[in-house]
DNA sequence: GGTAACGCACAT
DNA sequence: ATGTGCGTTACC
């Protein structure tokens, strides 16, 4: 396997630290390589430009050139080469020019994209099947990205090789593709940035996840002995009542003044609970049978569940014998009925209440499940519910959930939220009994004039007494961090090993992203096969080594045989980084303060009536957008700060934090 | 007051 | 892989 030197200058193949004369730096990515460990050393060292194996990107199998387009657009690559060959420039100047080129700051001799996001949107990175930007992107081991639907269609037709480079697709990925949600977010950002023309207000979406994490749940002395599982009494950070319907808004988030946004993730049910998205720490349904259900969790607990992202079929609770101290009985032994939680969900169906949805990584059969932890996916409505005979032979309650949120779902690259959509065809309805459909107008509905979902009638009054207000002790007010959306996004591109921004990102078939050097470093010294000793004069066949993905337990040994860098993600990350550098160059901290002041001054002080009116009009999200837009255009910290914050922040599901 | 509910981590 | 303690909420 071809491996470069690590950040300390040590060759990852032979583990030695080669001298400068033994080191060769790539002309494109500047990574150092040990000359004598290169699989194909350059023919002549007098060449001014040499490309490392990563940047030459030899396809896994020999494919005709027409089938393997270069990862960068040709003109961009040749422009970079042109800079590198210029002997009049110092290395620093070359680096600056490369950055400028990637960020569109300077016109190279060769035509180049005028904006970094154009690199993404100029068609180079389109799904090779539908020739559009990948929707719900999935990444093959050979580093190519496709729409989930296109990929599934291709596999269904019996085609098991990459439509881009013809590399074989592993069976597991073919049967269970996982969405690369980090990439989905990037594509959305690029689209958003492009629509930010000089005319019209810039439109910015929220990409915030994993930041400003709360203190870990409170643990009693007794509970500490057995770990966090017993720490269910963590502080609730939001000021909504336990039976609050609908989105959790900034006004209910006194600490951050942000609310719970689509895409927010939590490490576990305890943490999710602390932010009010889904209160019960065991149950899948939060609700009261005479009042309605506020939220549900998709955790893979019921085999009948069926997830299509924007809509899904949910199974009610109960039907199992959990007497004694059973926790894990997945077998049904009696029928489910519309009572308790199941009835609560039926009330929400009849009324058309908004129901918050969180998805758990435990839902293994869904392509829409997050890679780890729990994720808030927004507001859905229960359009119909019924009962049917479940796969285990007993009756189950069934609910058709359809998404109706003003923010786009985490897996889409759409810039806007949902529009009313026709109900999907549900085959099992023909065998349904006890069908319930909504008869009245839904309480939460789409307003054509305003172009968003909102309460058509005032939300139901909370049944909880005022004790929550009194009981909620407001923590010492932390100043909300001024971080631009782009910097937040950069944070999201963290390697799950080094926690820094991804460099040469590899996407595993299980949908996790790592720096190339980090992932290969994690398995350096391990060979792919283990030779077993001869026994009784008989030579045993070599055994394959299992190499577990650092983020999950999937075996990625096959992937590591020839991991291909996800060039699409890499170019987006580079664009974002060079923008951050550029902006930090021409705006000092002092300027930032001035700009902040200007923004604040220009904003009229909101009277409480105005605020109320905005809430009633349901336009709070667009107000948020405007707020973020000013952030993007005005506030930029230095990129060093970003990196520092990334180090400080546990941005990537610190599941193994305790063991570290 | 009893118990079910799509949890979590540890012990066996 | 299965069992168990701790934990919270809803609803008898």
């Amino acid at each position: 396997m071809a491996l470069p030197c690590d950040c300390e200058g040590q060759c990852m193949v032979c583990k030695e630290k080669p001298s400068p004369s033994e080191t060769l730096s790539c002309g494109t990515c500047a990574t150092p390589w040990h000359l004598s460990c290169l699989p194909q050393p350059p023919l002549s060292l007098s060449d001014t430009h040499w490309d490392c194996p990563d940047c030459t990107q030899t396809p896994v199998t020999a494919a005709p050139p027409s089938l393997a387009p270069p990862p960068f657009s040709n003109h961009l690559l040749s422009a970079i080469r042109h800079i590198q060959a210029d002997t009049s420039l110092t290395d620093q100047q070359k680096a600056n020019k490369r950055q400028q080129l990637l960020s569109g700051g300077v016109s190279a001799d060769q035509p180049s994209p005028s904006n970094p996001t154009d690199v993404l949107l100029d068609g180079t990175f389109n799904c090779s099947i539908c020739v559009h930007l990948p929707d719900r992107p999935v990444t093959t081991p050979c580093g190519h990205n496709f729409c989930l639907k296109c990929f599934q269609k291709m596999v269904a037709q019996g085609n098991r090789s990459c439509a881009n480079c013809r590399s074989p697709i592993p069976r597991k990925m073919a049967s269970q593709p996982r969405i690369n949600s980090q990439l989905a977010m990037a594509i959305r950002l690029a689209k958003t940035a492009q629509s930010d023309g000089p005319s019209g207000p810039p439109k910015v979406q929220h990409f915030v996840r994993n930041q400003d994490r709360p203190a870990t749940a409170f643990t009693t002395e007794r509970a500490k002995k057995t770990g966090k599982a017993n720490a269910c009494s963590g502080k609730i950070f939001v000021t909504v009542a336990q039976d609050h319907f609908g989105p959790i808004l900034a006004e209910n988030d006194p600490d951050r003044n942000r609310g719970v946004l689509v895409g927010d993730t939590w490490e576990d049910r305890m943490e999710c609970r602390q932010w009010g998205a889904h209160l019960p720490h065991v149950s899948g349904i939060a609700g009261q049978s005479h009042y309605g259900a506020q939220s549900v969790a998709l955790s893979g607990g019921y085999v009948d569940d069926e997830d299509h992202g924007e809509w899904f079929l949910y199974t009610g609770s109960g039907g199992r014998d959990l007497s004694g101290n059973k926790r894990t009985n997945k077998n049904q032994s009696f029928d489910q009925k519309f009572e308790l939680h199941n009835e609560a969900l039926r009330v929400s169906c009849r009324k058309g209440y908004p129901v918050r949805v969180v998805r758990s990584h435990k839902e293994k059969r869904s392509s829409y499940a997050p890679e780890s932890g729990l994720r808030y996916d927004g507001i859905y409505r229960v359009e119909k519910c019924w009962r049917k005979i479940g796969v285990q032979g007993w009756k189950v309650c069934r609910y058709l959930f359809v998404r109706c949120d003003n923010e786009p779902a985490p897996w889409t690259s759409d810039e806007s939220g949902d529009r009313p959509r026709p109900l999907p065809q549900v085959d099992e309805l023909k065998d349904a009994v006890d069908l319930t459909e909504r008869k009245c107008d839904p309480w939460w509905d789409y307003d054509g004039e305003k172009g968003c979902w909102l309460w058509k009638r005032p939300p139901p009054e909370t049944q909880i007494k005022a004790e929550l207000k009194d009981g909620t002790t407001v923590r010492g007010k932390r100043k909300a961090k001024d971080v631009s959306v782009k910097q937040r996004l950069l944070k999201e591109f963290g390697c799950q090993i080094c926690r820094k921004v991804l460099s040469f990102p590899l996407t595993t078939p299980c949908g996790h992203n790592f720096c190339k050097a980090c992932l290969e470093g994690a398995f350096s010294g391990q060979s792919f096969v283990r030779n077993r000793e001869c026994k009784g004069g008989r030579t045993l066949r070599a055994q394959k080594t299992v190499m577990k993905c650092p983020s999950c337990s999937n075996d990625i040994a096959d992937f590591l045989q020839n991991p291909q860098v996800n060039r699409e993600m890499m170019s987006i990350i580079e664009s974002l980084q060079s923008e951050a550098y550029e902006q930090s160059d021409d705006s000092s901290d002092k300027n930032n303060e001035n700009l902040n002041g200007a923004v604040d001054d220009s904003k009229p002080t909101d009277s409480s009536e105005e605020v109320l009116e905005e809430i009633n009009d349901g336009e709070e999200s667009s107000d948020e957008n405007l707020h973020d837009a000013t952030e993007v255009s005005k506030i930029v910290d230095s990129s060093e700060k970003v990196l520092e914050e990334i180090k400080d922040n546990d941005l990537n599901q610190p599941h193994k934090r305790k063991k570290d």
Side-chain angles (χ1 to χ4, degrees):
Chain A
M1 183 168 28
L3 288 171
C5 301
D6 62 18
C7 53
E8 319 241 295
Q10 189 188 45
C11 172
M12 290 201 277
V13 177
C14 68
K15 302 290 162 204
E16 280 174 24
K17 204 167 179 177
S19 65
S21 62
E22 270 283 285
T23 311
L24 192 58
S25 285
C26 171
T28 302
C29 68
T31 308
W33 292 71
H34 188 188
L35 197 52
S36 51
C37 287
L38 278 172
Q40 287 175 314
L43 296 171
S44 160
L45 286 176
S46 60
D47 280 355
T48 50
H49 188 97
W50 170 78
D51 274 329
C52 71
D54 286 337
C55 292
T56 45
Q57 248 247 322
T58 321
V60 183
T61 52
S66 61
L67 294 174
F72 285 107
S73 36
N74 273 328
H75 53 254
L76 191 60
L77 202 56
S78 57
I80 292 174
R81 291 203 167 114
H82 194 76
I83 293 171
Q84 292 307 104
D86 190 342
T87 49
S88 68
L89 298 171
T90 65
D91 283 351
Q92 185 57 48
Q93 286 170 323
K94 283 179 187 175
N96 286 345
K97 278 217 162 193
R98 282 204 305 269
Q99 281 171 2
Q100 282 176 332
L101 185 65
L102 279 165
S103 62
V106 71
S107 65
D109 296 346
Q110 304 280 343
S112 72
S114 62
N115 184 299
T117 52
D118 290 349
V119 177
L120 184 74
L121 300 173
D122 68 357
T124 315
F125 302 126
N126 285 352
C127 165
S128 322
I129 300 171
C130 68
V131 209
H132 288 99
L133 275 173
D135 179 35
R136 297 140 214 250
V138 294
T139 307
T140 58
C142 45
H144 296 113
N145 302 293
F146 302 94
C147 310
L148 174 68
K149 290 237 166 93
C150 292
F151 180 85
Q152 288 173 326
K153 205 188 249 175
M154 183 180 81
V155 170
Q157 287 168 351
N159 198 344
R160 285 274 300 280
S161 60
C162 172
N164 208 326
C165 70
R166 298 289 183 263
S167 299
I169 289 163
R171 185 178 302 132
K172 192 164 183 200
M173 185 192 176
S175 64
Q176 187 48 271
R178 301 299 288 220
I179 291 166
N180 186 342
S181 49
Q182 285 178 298
L183 185 59
M185 213 159 42
I187 293 169
R188 194 195 302 161
L189 172 89
K191 284 176 160 185
T192 309
Q194 201 193 40
S195 62
D196 285 355
S199 60
K203 229 177 120 194
V204 181
Q205 307 294 338
H206 300 292
F207 304 97
V208 189
R209 271 166 49 174
N210 300 326
Q211 63 163 12
D212 292 337
R213 278 186 180 278
T216 46
F218 168 75
T219 53
T220 62
E221 279 307 311
R222 196 174 182 185
K224 273 178 191 166
K225 281 191 294 187
T226 43
K228 197 181 170 185
N230 300 332
C232 304
S233 43
K235 182 178 262 181
I236 309 293
F237 296 125
V238 290
T239 58
V240 292
Q242 284 132 302
D243 55 0
H244 165 84
F245 285 95
I248 292 162
L249 305 174
E251 67 197 82
N252 292 116
D253 181 0
D255 279 338
R256 311 177 301 176
N257 195 32
R258 180 171 85 79
V260 174
L261 305 177
V262 168
D264 280 2
T265 59
W266 303 281
E267 198 175 331
D268 49 37
R269 287 284 289 266
M270 316 301 172
E271 205 189 8
C272 170
R273 167 188 157 70
Q274 290 184 284
W275 290 99
H278 185 68
L279 266 295
H281 82 284
V282 174
S283 177
I285 303 169
Q288 306 77 33
S289 55
H290 299 291
Y291 184 62
Q294 294 84 28
S295 57
V296 296
L298 282 87
S299 308
Y302 286 85
V303 286
D304 290 276
D305 286 1
E306 195 183 298
D307 195 356
H308 300 265
E310 276 74 13
W311 65 276
F312 60 89
L313 295 174
Y314 194 72
T315 310
S317 66
R320 292 166 174 173
D321 180 15
L322 298 175
S323 59
N325 202 4
K326 293 196 192 78
R327 298 286 185 282
T328 49
N329 189 356
K330 300 269 182 208
N331 294 324
Q332 246 186 293
S333 50
F334 49 95
D335 289 342
Q336 289 183 358
K337 289 179 188 159
F338 281 113
E339 53 186 27
L340 305 177
H341 287 125
N342 296 346
E343 175 59 16
L345 215 38
R346 183 158 71 167
V347 172
S348 285
C349 169
R350 286 207 184 98
K351 300 267 190 184
Y353 288 159
V355 182
R356 293 184 300 275
V357 170
V358 297
R359 279 185 174 81
S360 162
H361 71 286
K362 287 184 168 183
E363 176 52 280
K364 298 292 181 203
R365 295 168 303 118
S366 164
S367 295
Y368 300 91
E371 292 154 19
S372 53
L374 285 106
R375 183 186 62 209
Y376 174 61
D377 285 347
I379 300 296
Y380 286 66
R381 267 191 334 213
V382 184
E383 301 294 346
K384 289 176 185 184
C385 57
W386 60 92
R387 289 204 299 166
K388 69 150 192 174
I389 306 292
V391 294
Q392 294 189 3
W394 300 90
K395 269 185 191 157
V396 288
C397 298
R398 299 286 279 169
Y399 303 89
L400 168 62
F401 277 75
V402 179
R403 196 170 191 277
C404 48
D405 199 289
N406 292 315
E407 290 185 75
W411 52 82
T412 75
S413 303
D414 294 345
E415 294 160 81
S416 54
D418 298 302
R419 297 281 176 274
R421 47 171 71 85
L423 294 188
Q425 192 73 39
V426 180
D427 291 340
E428 68 176 60
L429 270 172
K430 63 182 190 303
D431 301 318
V433 294
D434 310 323
L435 178 68
T436 301
E437 285 177 281
R438 188 168 46 245
K439 300 206 169 59
C440 67
D441 288 335
W443 285 44
W444 175 263
D445 205 4
Y446 190 76
D447 188 305
E449 277 180 31
K450 295 196 174 71
C452 64
W453 300 87
L454 47 84
W455 285 102
K456 288 289 185 178
R457 304 169 68 167
E461 290 234 350
T462 175
Q463 296 181 313
I464 311 289
K465 305 281 179 283
E467 67 181 303
L468 190 127
K469 280 173 195 162
D470 304 330
T472 309
T473 47
V474 181
R475 296 197 304 175
K477 267 213 166 185
R478 255 185 305 156
K479 195 178 154 251
K481 281 181 193 162
D482 288 330
V483 186
S484 83
V485 167
K486 274 177 187 148
Q487 288 176 358
R488 286 176 189 167
L489 183 58
L490 255 185
K491 278 190 188 182
E492 301 304 327
F493 284 117
C495 164
Q496 306 209 4
I497 294 176
C498 69
R499 306 255 168 105
K500 294 177 191 161
V501 177
L502 285 162
S503 130
F504 289 88
L506 297 179
T507 308
T508 64
C510 42
H512 300 102
N513 296 296
F514 306 94
C515 306
K516 189 174 199 284
C518 289
L519 192 61
E520 291 184 340
F523 299 98
S524 65
Q526 283 188 45
S527 62
F528 289 103
V529 288
R530 188 164 62 87
N531 286 318
R532 291 187 290 183
E533 286 180 19
C534 300
K535 273 184 184 172
R538 189 167 61 96
T539 309
L540 294 169
R541 259 193 308 175
Q543 197 177 38
K544 276 178 100 178
T545 312
V546 173
M547 296 178 172
K548 285 188 172 178
C549 167
S551 289
C552 64
S553 54
N554 277 301
D555 184 8
I556 54 169
D558 289 339
F559 173 69
L560 288 170
Q561 296 265 7
N562 197 344
Q564 298 295 311
V565 170
N566 192 334
R567 301 279 157 173
E568 280 104 341
M569 278 186 83
M570 189 167 103
S571 73
I572 298 154
I573 292 166
E574 283 173 348
S575 303
L576 287 164
Q577 283 174 321
S578 50
E579 273 177 40
Y581 274 106
E582 228 174 51
Q583 287 168 323
S584 66
D585 278 350
D586 53 27
S587 62
S588 68
D589 283 350
K590 203 175 173 187
N591 280 341
N592 279 343
E593 273 171 36
N594 290 340
L595 285 167
N596 280 335
V599 172
D600 288 339
D601 288 343
S602 65
K603 261 192 168 177
T605 330
D606 286 339
S607 71
S608 54
E609 286 91 343
E610 276 171 340
V611 175
L612 268 176
E613 212 171 277
E614 273 176 15
I615 293 159
N616 288 337
D617 287 349
E619 288 180 40
E620 61 281 348
S621 60
S622 61
D623 181 54
E624 283 263 335
N625 286 345
L626 276 174
H627 179 67
D628 269 353
T630 50
E631 275 186 6
V632 165
S633 58
K634 305 271 181 186
I635 311 156
V636 178
D637 286 348
S638 72
S639 53
E640 280 85 7
K641 268 191 189 167
V642 180
L643 290 172
E644 273 306 305
E645 279 185 36
I646 290 160
K647 278 186 209 156
D648 293 342
N649 255 308
D650 283 329
L651 64 155
N652 282 308
Q653 285 76 32
H655 263 304
K656 302 187 173 79
R657 182 172 44 192
K658 269 194 277 188
K659 281 159 195 158
D660 286 346

